[in-house]
Amino acid sequence: MSLNSNWTVDQRYRRIEEISQDSIDEMVNLRKQDAGYPSYHIAPKFGLLNDPNGLCFFNGEHHLFYQWTPVGPVHGMKYWYHLSTKDFIHFEDHGIGLHPDQDYDSHGVYSGGALVENDNALLFFTGNKRDENWLRVPTQCFAKMSADGKIEKHGVVIENDHYTEHFRDPKVWKQGDDYLMVVGAQKPQETGSMALYRSRDLMNWQHKGPIQTRYNNLGYMWECPDFFEIDNQSVMLFSPQGVSSENPYDFKNIYSVAYILGDRLNLDTAELENHQDIAQPDYGFDFYAPQTYLDDKGRRILIAWIGLPEIDTPSNAYQWAGMLSLPRELQIQDGYLVQSALPELKALQGEAVTVENVLELDTTSFMVELETDTDEFEFTLANATGDNIVFSAIDTEFTLDRSNMSKLYAEEFGCVRKAPRLSTKQTIEVYVDKSVIEIFINGGKHTMTSRFFIDDLSMLSIKGDVKTVYRSMSPIKGLDD
């Protein structure tokens, strides 16, 4: 259901300088009328937000960049938009961090990650260039951000000698004396891979080839690769395209997110040694392009895009699209990548209210804790006319059903998502913010992240033996107009 086809290429690739102030004011005014615009999630003031980029802890702050198309809720000319925060409650809006202003990124500053080195944060990105025949010329590039916030580009460090035009999203880390980079890459035989590069000086990179796993022929492209270690275990995290499954849980969205846990990356053979089966961190409708970083406390923090390529939501009518997930700390437990909402977010919570059966809502930004030891329950968000979404459980699985929303979209991919239930007794956290729901199930071993659209959302109800505690959530600060 892509509205992008309604835009011409010239319209989509307009730069921000070409957009009149009147047009910007009109988009912002429309967005302000949207009751679905979140209050404690990061979303664009106008235009389209997609992948989180350049996440890092630098100079005493968490720095968050994201892909931004200012022309409207459409994929077109990409910029890196820049925010920072010390506590995930108070934010500073730095505006555009990287502009598509060089020949090598003439058609967009595409995604990438950050590496903090000495007194700089190095921002690696894909330069997206189209030639006169509209053929894509992707290169891996970097810029330096100094402690005073100035960002300066340093050009191309890797040209594309081994892959198709789908070669993007560099993520860099340091291991001993080596710098290592993974890039999402489509091999010449048109299968996806995580390409590995190695350098001693950040300028000259040796191609080590695709990281070798049992999944060398999975899908036609892997986007937004990340590679990191937790407790001496290696994690490959990526967003594969062109993957489906026969089981009721995995790979049900147009594109999904996957991870592979292994012992270590062998730099000589580029093999992830002794790795587990591929797994999915999120079973919701809208979770893509996650990126992670280490903060000053040694926490591995993940932020994802709540949205999907090629899927348009009802927010588009209000001239904005996409938001970032809540920041989540990652740990490894029982062979799973476990996610938990950062404890800093507790500062946004209001007083605890116990819910017996039904709660009339006085705000649509809140969180709920569901403590259960029962096989079946049903948690419903609804309006007065009965439009709803329902999160329910039986003994073996969870279900999120959005087939009865006020506004449906992406129905061709189904309106129901299921996830395995790993234990009867568990405490589930549900974060709701206007038109987004993030559900932490199975002790964080899985999440279900989704947009939903209910006009005049007014009540919450629970059926089953579930201790239900509700808390309102205050808005994050510093990003309002």
Side-chain angles (χ1 to χ4, degrees):
M1 174 195 162
S2 180
L3 302 177
N4 290 356
S5 55
N6 298 340
W7 294 69
T8 67
V9 167
D10 286 346
Q11 285 171 330
R12 289 196 290 126
Y13 282 85
R14 275 186 299 158
R15 294 167 187 278
I16 194 161
E17 298 81 12
E18 300 170 70
I19 308 170
S20 71
Q21 190 59 49
D22 284 351
S23 296
I24 290 173
D25 292 345
E26 194 178 328
M27 287 192 282
V28 170
N29 286 334
L30 263 172
R31 189 265 302 161
K32 285 179 175 177
Q33 294 167 35
D34 186 5
Y37 188 78
S39 74
Y40 66 95
H41 286 72
I42 290 164
K45 290 189 168 85
F46 61 95
L48 179 139
L49 169 158
N50 58 299
D51 312 351
N53 290 164
L55 304 182
C56 59
F57 189 87
F58 172 61
N59 199 31
E61 290 187 292
H62 304 267
H63 288 266
L64 287 65
F65 296 82
Y66 59 78
Q67 289 278 285
W68 184 48
T69 310
V71 74
V74 65
H75 290 279
M77 187 66 82
K78 303 282 184 182
Y79 294 71
W80 277 32
Y81 202 91
H82 182 200
L83 310 171
S84 66
T85 180
K86 289 184 167 73
D87 57 8
F88 289 100
I89 310 299
H90 304 85
F91 285 81
E92 190 171 344
D93 185 337
H94 301 277
I96 296 169
L98 288 171
H99 292 252
D101 55 9
Q102 304 296 316
D103 180 64
Y104 56 77
D105 60 17
S106 59
H107 289 72
V109 183
Y110 276 17
S111 291
L115 173 72
V116 175
E117 183 84 340
N118 303 323
D119 298 326
N120 294 292
L122 309 181
L123 308 176
F124 290 85
F125 62 93
T126 296
N128 184 52
K129 178 186 174 177
R130 296 277 191 176
D131 68 12
E132 60 276 9
N133 300 314
W134 201 245
L135 292 172
R136 191 199 300 269
V137 183
T139 51
Q140 311 316 323
C141 317
F142 85 105
K144 279 185 184 176
M145 177 168 68
S146 53
D148 62 5
K150 288 195 175 67
I151 298 175
E152 186 183 331
K153 286 184 186 171
H154 286 260
V156 174
V157 291
I158 297 179
E159 295 191 345
N160 182 19
D161 298 325
H162 301 92
Y163 300 97
T164 72
E165 66 169 18
H166 298 292
F167 176 61
R168 53 184 174 267
D169 314 335
K171 185 79 190 320
V172 178
W173 71 103
K174 193 171 187 185
Q175 188 172 305
D177 294 330
D178 287 311
Y179 297 97
L180 300 170
M181 178 194 291
V182 285
V183 182
Q186 185 184 64
K187 293 178 283 196
Q189 59 270 39
E190 297 190 358
T191 54
S193 73
M194 192 180 286
L196 179 65
Y197 291 80
R198 185 178 189 175
S199 174
R200 282 291 168 97
D201 61 5
L202 293 169
M203 297 303 292
N204 300 287
W205 292 86
Q206 176 194 10
H207 178 240
K208 303 293 289 182
I211 295 178
Q212 298 300 304
T213 67
R214 293 196 297 275
Y215 301 98
N216 288 349
N217 296 309
L218 181 84
Y220 61 77
M221 175 61 183
W222 295 6
E223 290 197 308
C224 302
D226 201 344
F227 190 99
F228 52 92
E229 288 191 347
I230 298 177
D231 300 336
N232 296 319
Q233 279 193 281
S234 295
V235 184
M236 290 174 72
L237 177 67
F238 55 102
S239 299
Q241 299 184 325
V243 182
S244 59
S245 83
E246 296 299 312
N247 75 51
Y249 309 123
D250 295 321
F251 302 114
K252 299 306 174 197
N253 296 336
I254 183 172
Y255 307 125
S256 300
V257 173
Y259 68 89
I260 305 172
L261 296 185
D263 283 355
R264 64 183 278 270
L265 178 60
N266 184 319
L267 294 182
D268 296 321
T269 62
E271 180 191 356
L272 181 62
E273 295 178 343
N274 193 29
H275 68 76
Q276 295 179 191
D277 290 344
I278 196 167
Q280 222 176 288
D282 190 278
Y283 286 112
F285 293 87
D286 302 276
F287 181 87
Y288 199 70
Q291 187 177 105
T292 75
Y293 70 103
L294 272 181
D295 77 350
D296 60 325
K297 299 182 175 75
R299 299 181 296 182
R300 175 65 58 176
I301 297 173
L302 174 147
I303 297 174
W305 168 30
I306 300 180
L308 284 169
E310 299 166 49
I311 301 289
D312 288 315
T313 73
S315 304
N316 283 36
Y318 294 94
Q319 295 300 312
W320 71 278
M323 61 177 88
L324 296 181
S325 73
L326 296 176
R328 306 169 178 190
E329 183 178 357
L330 297 183
Q331 287 164 324
I332 292 177
Q333 191 186 330
D334 308 327
Y336 288 92
L337 199 53
V338 175
Q339 307 176 66
S340 56
L342 282 198
E344 284 93 324
L345 300 172
K346 286 190 168 67
L348 297 173
Q349 294 179 5
E351 294 294 311
V353 177
T354 302
V355 182
E356 295 303 338
N357 295 307
V358 177
L359 180 70
E360 297 287 338
L361 297 171
D362 55 7
T363 175
T364 50
S365 296
F366 57 90
M367 70 87 60
V368 178
E369 210 171 64
L370 307 172
E371 201 178 313
T372 183
D373 195 5
T374 189
D375 280 355
E376 298 184 16
F377 68 81
E378 205 170 90
F379 172 84
T380 302
L381 299 176
N383 64 13
T385 58
D387 299 343
N388 65 32
I389 61 161
V390 181
F391 170 61
S392 61
I394 56 173
D395 57 343
T396 57
E397 69 184 16
F398 295 105
T399 300
L400 184 61
D401 184 343
R402 65 177 192 185
S403 59
N404 199 29
M405 299 191 296
S406 310
K407 297 184 186 76
L408 293 176
Y409 71 103
E411 301 101 305
E412 62 268 39
F413 299 99
C415 297
V416 175
R417 292 290 179 273
K418 292 176 181 292
R421 184 175 180 181
L422 302 181
S423 63
T424 307
K425 183 179 175 63
Q426 50 180 283
T427 300
I428 298 162
E429 288 187 355
V430 182
Y431 291 86
V432 175
D433 192 6
K434 314 293 188 190
S435 65
V436 62
I437 184 166
E438 297 188 54
I439 309 171
F440 292 75
I441 54 175
N442 296 325
K445 289 173 181 171
H446 300 109
T447 52
M448 300 182 89
T449 305
S450 299
R451 297 295 303 277
F452 71 94
F453 295 87
I454 298 175
D455 298 337
D456 304 314
L457 175 63
S458 60
M459 68 182 78
L460 168 171
S461 63
I462 187 80
K463 286 181 188 166
D465 186 12
V466 181
K467 184 185 174 191
T468 306
V469 177
Y470 160 100
R471 293 176 177 87
S472 64
M473 293 287 283
S474 298
I476 50 178
K477 298 176 174 66
L479 301 183
D480 48 2
D481 303 299

